[in-house]
Amino acid sequence: VRAIVTGRVTQRGDSVVVSAELTDIARRSQLWGEQYTQKMADVLAVQEKISRAITDNLKLQLSGSEQQKLTKRATENPEAYELYLKGRYYSDKFTEDGIKKGYEYLNRAVEKDPGYASAYAGLADWYLITVDFTLSPREAWPKAKENAEKALKLDPALAAARASLGVEKFMGELDWAGAEAELKEAIRLQPDLVRAHEYYCWYLLAVGRQSEAFEEAKRVQQLDPVSAEANSWAGIAYYFARDYDQTILRQKKALEIDPDYWFGDFFMGWAYLQKGQHAEALAALRKAHELAGISMTMGVLGRAYAVTGNRAEALKYLAALKERAKTGFVSPYDVAMVYGGLGDKEQALTWLEKAYEERSWWMSWIQVDPSLDALRSEPRFQAIVKKMNFPQH
């Protein structure tokens, strides 16, 4: 590292104060520093000024395309930009309230600037998040594709949209070759895009290319080491590799960063359950359910009660899932989880078949998910795997 940029942004009413400085590491001296006070409407111009000042002070020789990339604006509308940032922020909380707010902000961003490619990419990711969460996959996957394609029509080089389209292709369409092409292109276009590496890790786990998946998981953590999401989802790679101690370690790290990141408790509960540490598993999964309160957490918690011998409580969760399905979407995969824990293979397989028909989010990982090991020798399970059309490697 040759130099470090540090800065602070403070909003006061409709004004923004932005201070930034550039420090030479070897000499421990300031190369440049400046403070800007601008109206919120001019905040995008400040970004350009800071970028130019940094490149000038470092005496960087930029090509024409690099200069163009540096000064390119995704939108000319600062209000749309702010709405987009809020939409991403709330969506990434992965809670019902966060997802609702995220959708509202992203839609308002598109309304303010219909030519804002990044906002459409944000909506594509929003639909990816809602699959098996608040929306049926049959409803969410086409919408994710539609918004990713809108973004790419506006900006064919937008890596975030390529990455979202890649996920939709392998999870929603079972187009494995097309998905890998999109994900690789996203990484080529923007090598530091965390979500592109995260999504490619998911793909590699699904198709059984474990060593490559670990490389992508490490890259995710290197790019965003203080992100709860990056640490938690890197940990899921260890779970599918049956390394439960490492899974738990990664989830604990995620929860140190954000104690309310419920995926951390969710995946940690999975790992404890596989290890036979039932008290710890139930504690983690109860917390995840308290934070998220969705059918996904209900299904795994119901399974945990079944596995730990509390059949009555497991049946309560099973009944609650079926009752919830009368008024909203419940993934068949969640119901299959409980039946599997109860040892009812026939019902578990029936609901997994339904999950396949629905294109459930979790079905992509049925080749590697330890919670399905008891079903692997069943002909019906093997038939589902065959229909998933996984690529051979």
Side-chain angles (χ1 to χ4, degrees):
V1 175
R2 181 177 158 197
I4 287 179
V5 180
T6 55
R8 176 177 294 174
V9 181
T10 309
Q11 187 170 351
R12 295 171 184 161
D14 64 348
S15 295
V16 178
V17 179
V18 181
S19 59
E21 66 177 51
L22 184 67
T23 305
D24 184 301
I25 296 302
R27 297 176 183 174
R28 296 181 181 274
S29 61
Q30 188 188 76
L31 292 167
W32 165 83
E34 192 64 76
Q35 180 170 298
Y36 306 87
T37 302
Q38 304 273 162
K39 293 296 183 185
M40 194 66 193
D42 300 322
V43 73
L44 296 173
V46 175
Q47 292 185 23
E48 281 184 30
K49 288 177 184 176
I50 293 171
S51 298
R52 286 188 183 279
I54 290 166
T55 54
D56 290 346
N57 279 277
L58 289 177
K59 297 179 171 57
L60 298 177
Q61 298 300 313
L62 300 181
S63 67
S65 62
E66 286 172 332
Q67 292 242 8
Q68 189 178 23
K69 186 177 180 181
L70 190 67
T71 57
K72 179 183 176 183
R73 293 188 189 181
T75 178
E76 295 293 330
N77 188 318
E79 193 176 349
Y81 177 59
E82 186 176 357
L83 289 165
Y84 164 75
L85 292 177
K86 287 180 177 179
R88 283 286 195 181
Y89 170 77
Y90 282 108
S91 297
D92 288 352
K93 285 179 173 291
F94 297 104
T95 62
E96 283 190 293
D97 182 58
I99 281 178
K100 183 181 177 183
K101 285 182 178 176
Y103 183 74
E104 290 170 0
Y105 281 121
L106 289 167
N107 268 296
R108 284 169 59 195
V110 167
E111 288 169 8
K112 290 289 179 185
D113 182 358
Y116 192 2
S118 293
Y120 288 109
L123 278 169
D125 259 0
W126 185 89
Y127 280 106
L128 297 182
I129 290 167
T130 59
V131 173
D132 277 3
F133 197 145
T134 55
L135 291 180
S136 157
R138 290 294 187 189
E139 181 182 354
W141 290 131
K143 288 287 188 180
K145 183 177 183 178
E146 177 188 327
N147 280 282
E149 288 179 339
K150 279 182 182 177
L152 290 170
K153 191 173 181 181
L154 291 164
D155 183 356
L158 187 60
R162 293 270 171 211
S164 298
L165 189 58
V167 175
E168 186 280 329
K169 279 187 177 292
F170 81 85
M171 286 188 165
E173 298 181 53
L174 306 182
D175 177 4
W176 301 95
E180 185 166 24
E182 292 290 355
L183 292 165
K184 282 184 171 179
E185 179 64 4
I187 291 168
R188 187 192 71 79
L189 288 167
Q190 190 177 341
D192 63 348
L193 181 60
V194 176
R195 281 272 170 90
H197 291 280
E198 186 178 310
Y199 292 164
Y200 192 36
C201 177
W202 295 1
Y203 171 91
L204 294 167
L205 288 168
V207 300
R209 287 157 58 184
Q210 206 168 82
S211 60
E212 293 174 76
F214 276 120
E215 288 304 311
E216 290 301 318
K218 287 175 188 173
R219 188 74 180 124
V220 168
Q221 286 185 295
Q222 288 167 353
L223 287 168
D224 204 352
V226 293
S227 159
E229 179 183 335
N231 281 279
S232 182
W233 282 95
I236 198 69
Y238 290 96
Y239 175 77
F240 287 139
R242 274 66 171 171
D243 187 340
Y244 305 121
D245 289 332
Q246 272 297 322
T247 307
I248 292 163
L249 192 66
R250 304 286 168 170
Q251 303 315 319
K252 284 182 176 178
K253 189 172 180 181
L255 291 166
E256 282 175 14
I257 296 165
D258 182 356
D260 291 334
Y261 187 71
W262 66 266
F263 266 124
D265 287 294
F266 186 67
F267 291 143
M268 189 160 62
W270 274 15
Y272 276 131
L273 198 60
Q274 291 298 129
K275 284 190 72 176
Q277 293 180 233
H278 295 163
E280 291 88 344
L282 286 169
L285 291 169
R286 282 192 201 107
K287 186 186 168 191
H289 184 53
E290 284 169 12
L291 290 168
I294 58 173
S295 65
M296 191 186 300
T297 52
M298 290 171 69
V300 177
L301 185 53
R303 176 186 180 80
Y305 279 118
V307 169
T308 57
N310 192 337
R311 186 178 178 84
E313 199 65 22
L315 289 171
K316 281 183 188 177
Y317 275 90
L318 188 61
L321 282 168
K322 291 181 179 180
E323 186 63 29
R324 189 172 180 141
K326 293 176 183 177
T327 55
F329 177 75
V330 169
S331 172
Y333 193 89
D334 301 331
V335 180
M337 284 289 99
V338 185
Y339 275 121
L342 289 166
D344 190 335
K345 291 184 178 181
E346 290 304 307
Q347 281 293 337
L349 288 163
T350 295
W351 286 90
L352 277 179
E353 287 164 350
K354 291 178 182 178
Y356 163 77
E357 294 298 333
E358 280 281 349
R359 292 292 185 272
S360 167
W361 205 78
W362 295 99
M363 291 299 289
S364 300
W365 293 313
I366 64 169
Q367 285 195 123
V368 291
D369 187 348
S371 64
L372 300 175
D373 285 352
L375 302 173
R376 295 196 187 282
S377 61
E378 298 293 324
R380 288 172 68 191
F381 184 86
Q382 293 167 9
I384 297 170
V385 172
K386 188 175 181 181
K387 284 192 283 188
M388 289 291 296
N389 198 30
F390 288 109
Q392 301 301 310
H393 60 89

